[in-house]
Amino acid sequence: MTGFTLDLNDDQKQVRDWLHGFAADVIRPAAAEWDEREETPWPVIQEAAKLGIYSLDFYAQQFFDPTGLGIPLAMEELFWGDAGIALSIVGTGLAAVGVLANGTEEQIGTWIPQMYGDPGDVKLAAFCSSEPDAGSDVGAMRTRAVYQEATDEWVLDGTKTWATNGGIANVHVVVAVVDPELGTKGHASFIVPPGTPGLSQGQKFKKHGIRASHTAEVVLENVRIPGHCLLGGKEKLDERLARARERAAQGGGGERVKNAAMATFEASRPAVGAMAVGTARAAYEVALDYARTRTQFGRPIIDNQGIAFQLADMRTRIDASRLLVWRASWMAATGKPFTSAEGSMSKLHASETAKQVTAQALQILGGNGFTREYPVERMHRDAAIYTIFEGTSEIQRLVIARTLAGVPIR
């Protein structure tokens, strides 16, 4: 088992520095333009593909880093560049993880390459889970998938929302209800191949932040997909549903399944925490540089305790957040259980830090911070998302509190 260490190896340092250079030289110069345009930054994604950053191989290498630090290192550097563009680059990974977690080897080999395409023909994927009435409450999901044995097809109907790359993706991964009586245990995931009739983009959201990332509704109307597009296969699904029905009939065992699902979410949350750390660090660095060079009353404003103490607190919170993210990432990679909801802890602290640090950075810049001449205004808007997606801060606190109390997470 890999021991926990704060010393990065040479490969990790090389990848970190490589991504930092890409973020500084390619992402940052384009950030303001694509934020204003509120469009997918195709030229940046294509450049990332040419360099091998937007690729299955790159993310697989980071995902399988035995220390668990590959993904958080990558997320921090890319989101240090710009949150909206970075999310456009990594958004396909959400769908890819859904296939890796639930698909067969054949499905993984077939569909994940189609999600990325190649440098000359870049593709996108979208993961579709949330619904207008089912965000944090996944048990309220209404999108249905009905199996038609005569044609070996699944028929999907419903509306998904808040889908990154939704409607413009080549491949959509859709979570749907196959047995409403089983609640969350009656859900399954499906691949909707490119060009499938009945899938369309609904409302495209005009967002407060991360505006370079496409977010939209996905409407499913009589969407017919082949039976082999059920992730994991029908035999495995039937066995899982039979076990769930048996447990329900016996009146017990359901919470174990529910907590196993929560553990999956827990393991993914440190990556979001790393995104927040990247945005917070970027804002802190702008504020620090500004405080060193901006003079008032004949001296740099960093000489004033009111400014210096804010910067000290900002740096402390950022470093503490990174340590929580690294700890949780290492625990997930080495199979250590999150007995105190360490995944949620890392996401909660880092996301709240991003909001606080970007707000402090804006304040340190004063009137300049409130203008679009400086990037902290955009960073402040972007940071608001971290306390909302992948589970709100309120949900994280609920998960942590219930875990510490030994109460089932519902």
Side-chain angles (χ1 to χ4, degrees):
M1 181 178 292
T2 303
F4 181 73
T5 177
L6 297 177
D7 292 325
L8 301 181
N9 59 45
D10 290 341
D11 289 341
Q12 290 169 330
K13 291 176 182 177
Q14 184 177 12
V15 170
R16 180 198 61 191
D17 295 344
W18 174 48
L19 292 175
H20 185 81
F22 178 80
D25 298 338
V26 181
I27 293 179
R28 282 205 167 178
E33 175 188 351
W34 292 99
D35 177 73
E36 290 286 348
R37 292 175 63 166
E38 299 191 53
E39 296 175 358
T40 300
W42 284 106
V44 182
I45 298 174
Q46 289 166 346
E47 184 65 20
K50 290 177 183 177
L51 295 174
I53 296 172
Y54 183 79
S55 71
L56 172 60
D57 288 345
F58 172 74
Y59 287 107
Q61 290 173 11
Q62 306 319 308
F63 183 81
F64 290 112
D65 181 335
T67 70
L69 300 186
I71 290 295
L73 285 170
M75 295 301 108
E76 179 175 339
E77 294 306 326
L78 291 173
F79 281 74
W80 172 88
D82 176 69
I85 291 179
L87 190 56
S88 289
I89 294 173
V90 307
T92 289
L94 300 174
V97 168
V99 176
L100 282 170
N102 301 295
T104 64
E105 289 187 10
E106 182 178 358
Q107 289 171 329
I108 292 170
T110 298
W111 293 110
I112 293 184
Q114 294 188 47
M115 293 179 173
Y116 287 94
D118 56 61
D121 187 19
V122 173
K123 306 294 185 183
L124 297 176
F127 183 72
C128 308
S129 178
S130 295
E131 298 184 3
D133 296 319
S136 299
D137 182 10
V138 294
M141 189 177 293
R142 295 290 179 265
T143 296
R144 288 296 310 275
V146 178
Y147 182 64
Q148 295 191 345
E149 189 171 359
T151 57
D152 186 27
E153 289 181 313
W154 288 91
V155 182
L156 278 59
D157 286 282
T159 299
K160 294 296 182 177
T161 193
W162 311 123
T164 298
N165 298 333
I168 66 171
N170 302 91
V171 179
H172 290 76
V173 177
V174 177
V175 182
V177 179
V178 295
D179 189 333
E181 295 183 0
L182 293 177
T184 57
K185 295 182 288 296
H187 294 177
S189 297
F190 300 85
I191 290 284
V192 181
T196 300
L199 184 148
S200 62
Q201 179 183 308
Q203 175 188 5
K204 178 186 176 182
F205 295 104
K206 305 282 284 185
K207 303 190 300 292
H208 175 67
I210 55 168
R211 301 197 306 191
S213 173
H214 176 97
T215 309
E217 290 181 333
V218 174
V219 180
L220 304 144
E221 295 180 315
N222 195 35
V223 173
R224 293 178 173 270
I225 57 175
H228 62 76
C229 288
L230 165 65
L231 289 179
K234 191 159 189 308
E235 182 178 349
K236 183 178 179 181
L237 173 65
D238 289 342
E239 292 175 355
R240 178 166 62 82
L241 295 178
R243 291 195 301 269
R245 294 186 188 107
E246 183 179 354
R247 291 191 191 98
Q250 294 173 350
E255 293 301 339
R256 185 181 65 83
V257 175
K258 197 173 296 182
N259 287 336
M262 287 303 301
T264 301
F265 286 116
E266 274 284 278
S268 68
R269 283 169 176 157
V272 180
M275 299 174 187
V277 170
T279 299
R281 188 183 113 212
Y284 159 77
E285 290 176 1
V286 173
L288 177 62
D289 182 66
Y290 186 87
R292 285 170 170 168
T293 57
R294 172 70 167 173
T295 58
Q296 290 286 278
F297 306 107
R299 61 180 183 176
I301 62 174
I302 198 171
D303 288 350
N304 300 315
Q305 281 190 350
I307 300 296
F309 284 6
Q310 284 193 73
L311 289 164
D313 288 342
M314 292 159 72
R315 177 60 183 267
T316 300
R317 287 185 62 89
I318 291 168
D319 283 9
S321 295
R322 184 184 296 108
L323 288 172
L324 286 170
V325 167
W326 283 18
R327 178 185 70 167
S329 300
W330 172 77
M331 291 176 68
T334 55
K336 292 188 177 295
F338 287 160
T339 55
S340 299
E342 287 86 352
S344 286
M345 283 185 183
S346 69
K347 197 269 183 182
L348 171 65
H349 195 278
S351 59
E352 293 290 344
T353 290
K355 284 188 68 173
Q356 180 174 332
V357 166
T358 54
Q360 287 177 296
L362 193 152
Q363 186 69 25
I364 289 171
L365 268 67
N368 286 326
F370 201 66
T371 72
R372 296 189 182 180
E373 297 299 315
Y374 288 80
V376 292
E377 176 271 339
R378 184 180 68 254
M379 295 168 183
H380 182 52
R381 287 188 285 107
D382 291 342
I385 193 60
Y386 298 123
T387 61
I388 298 173
F389 72 179
E390 193 73 15
T392 64
S393 287
E394 291 75 20
I395 289 294
Q396 308 307 321
R397 291 186 175 98
L398 178 65
V399 170
I400 295 166
R402 285 181 173 271
T403 301
L404 295 178
V407 178
I409 301 169
R410 301 184 184 279

